Amino acid sequence: MLIHYDGRRFRKVTAGPDAPIAHYRQQGDLLWGSSAGGDVRRGSLTGVAAPDGTLTFAYTMVLTSGRTVAGHCVSVPEILPDGRVRLHETWERYGPDAATGTSCIEELAATDPLIEQGPSS
């Protein structure tokens, strides 16, 4: 399954409209992105996309509280019936708030409005 992530936007499946939006970029297998919204002032990720669409990346965030968060994530894609991508994430957060978990983010439809995220890429 060949998925090109460049320009796709994602939001947590169970989140409301004020939740962070992640904007992905891709060149070859290199993946990077930015996020903002909700309690995330600014987030970034850098990693790689495997031929099957699986993503492996490191991430950092500055929260509205001023706290910083860093970790690692592996995201496995699922293609939805309407062609959008859902990513099943397994993540690990480092540092004083270390934790592991799973989450699910889903591509926003092209008709969803883009929420201002500040500087891109």
Side-chain angles (χ1 to χ4, degrees):
M1 150 182 29
L2 181 60
I3 300 172
H4 194 68
Y5 290 95
D6 195 58
R8 294 181 188 249
R9 299 174 297 140
F10 295 87
R11 178 184 285 148
K12 191 172 178 180
V13 171
T14 59
D18 293 333
I21 293 177
H23 184 220
Y24 285 33
R25 302 298 310 270
Q26 184 179 350
Q27 184 176 47
D29 69 339
L30 181 63
L31 179 82
W32 69 98
S34 61
S35 61
D39 66 343
V40 177
R41 286 178 55 197
R42 175 79 171 168
S44 63
L45 64 91
T46 306
V48 293
D52 68 356
T54 298
L55 306 177
T56 304
F57 58 84
Y59 65 88
T60 59
M61 293 183 283
V62 176
L63 305 180
T64 55
S65 66
R67 199 177 81 192
T68 58
V69 177
H72 176 263
C73 184
V74 175
S75 299
V76 177
E78 170 191 359
I79 304 299
L80 299 173
D82 64 4
R84 292 178 305 124
V85 177
R86 178 179 289 158
L87 293 171
H88 299 272
E89 302 179 313
T90 302
W91 50 266
E92 178 180 10
R93 185 171 51 227
Y94 308 134
D97 298 315
T100 60
T102 60
S103 55
C104 190
I105 63 173
E106 196 168 278
E107 184 177 4
L108 297 175
T111 57
D112 287 334
L114 178 61
I115 296 173
E116 182 59 40
Q117 299 182 44
S120 61
S121 326

